[in-house]
Amino acid sequence: MCLFCCSSKPLSEDEKNGRHGAPMSQFDGGETFDIPLCKVWCCTKDCPCCLTAMVCFCPGQVYMRHKALNHVNPGSGWKDYKCCQGYFPGCCCCQPGKCGEQWCPCPCMCLESICCPGLAVSSTSLVIRERYNLGLDKDDVRLIRCTNCLQILACCCHLAACLTENEDVDFAARVTGCLADAVFCSVAGCMTAQVNHEIHMRQREAPQQQQPMIRD
């Protein structure tokens, strides 16, 4: 029900100008991923990948980032890796490309997936979006907005529980938090499977036409 309360309209100007919305603005429209997020569960071939990404989140994100980077630039290993691939701004002293990625990229990717799970999933998706200039599907926009709204609602409920110290409010906060986490894990798994499906499809269609592309 919450999903259908969220709009599927293209990103607004306010969303495009936000710190985390700006990277998505350049992919607003045009061709989209072969399989929408909402249909990943219906695809027999992609469902196992989705479940694996949910259960083994950190290893799954490390594997998929490496796979996406080497799909875009074959044989590059971790050479092109940087925190969130530079799509999202850093915080304080932690800036993309200046966190020791060149010396220990794999451990840095592990930390990225643990400390910034949402940005880690989105960054891998953006690598493929940029390579093939893929836009945002309407269902994808609605699902991502739904996830963000639930996370905000969960934060507000936990804040209210801390301020009121009421058992009923605390219980509601825990239920809302569990729901938000479940939806996030589901969307993250679907987004990972979506990227994996796109990579395999592109490799089947044009295995000899890939051109290396390195993001500055």
Side-chain angles (χ1 to χ4, degrees):
M1 181 64 72
C2 182
L3 173 63
F4 294 103
C5 293
C6 297
S7 172
S8 61
K9 293 181 179 179
L11 300 180
S12 65
E13 290 302 319
D14 289 339
E15 290 174 315
K16 292 179 180 180
N17 293 330
R19 280 171 58 88
H20 297 140
M24 291 289 189
S25 62
Q26 59 181 310
F27 307 113
D28 190 17
E31 187 183 358
T32 61
F33 275 105
D34 181 59
I35 180 171
L37 288 178
C38 293
K39 295 183 179 180
V40 171
W41 284 106
C42 302
C43 184
T44 306
K45 293 182 179 180
D46 297 312
C47 193
C49 177
C50 181
L51 292 173
T52 303
M54 291 171 61
V55 176
C56 305
F57 185 86
C58 179
Q61 296 313 310
V62 173
Y63 171 78
M64 280 308 302
R65 181 67 61 81
H66 185 269
K67 187 172 184 176
L69 291 175
N70 283 269
H71 173 73
V72 171
N73 189 7
S76 61
W78 286 104
K79 185 180 69 174
D80 299 329
Y81 169 76
K82 65 174 67 173
C83 183
C84 295
Q85 294 309 122
Y87 290 112
F88 300 99
C91 178
C92 300
C93 60
C94 296
Q95 299 295 328
K98 299 180 180 179
C99 300
E101 299 100 317
Q102 61 270 40
W103 295 296
C104 47
C106 192
C108 286
M109 180 61 216
C110 289
L111 286 175
E112 179 188 327
S113 65
I114 294 172
C115 299
C116 311
L119 298 184
V121 178
S122 297
S123 298
T124 302
S125 177
L126 288 171
V127 170
I128 302 302
R129 285 189 189 278
E130 183 177 18
R131 173 64 181 85
Y132 296 108
N133 195 27
L134 301 175
L136 292 168
D137 182 87
K138 289 184 178 181
D139 289 338
D140 294 358
V141 173
R142 179 185 283 121
L143 198 55
I144 293 171
R145 281 174 174 159
C146 174
T147 305
N148 293 339
C149 286
L150 285 174
Q151 291 294 331
I152 294 173
L153 178 60
C155 288
C156 292
C157 289
H158 282 294
L159 180 61
C162 291
L163 295 176
T164 61
E165 296 184 356
N166 182 286
E167 291 185 1
D168 292 335
V169 177
D170 182 63
F171 177 75
R174 282 182 289 170
V175 171
T176 306
C178 289
L179 176 62
D181 291 341
V183 172
F184 171 81
C185 288
S186 178
V187 173
C190 289
M191 191 173 290
T192 303
Q194 182 188 53
V195 170
N196 189 59
H197 174 92
E198 193 72 22
I199 291 175
H200 287 173
M201 185 196 73
R202 299 287 179 170
Q203 288 176 337
R204 288 194 304 267
E205 289 182 348
Q208 303 299 326
Q209 296 179 11
Q210 292 188 39
Q211 297 295 328
M213 185 191 71
I214 303 175
R215 181 178 174 81
D216 296 328

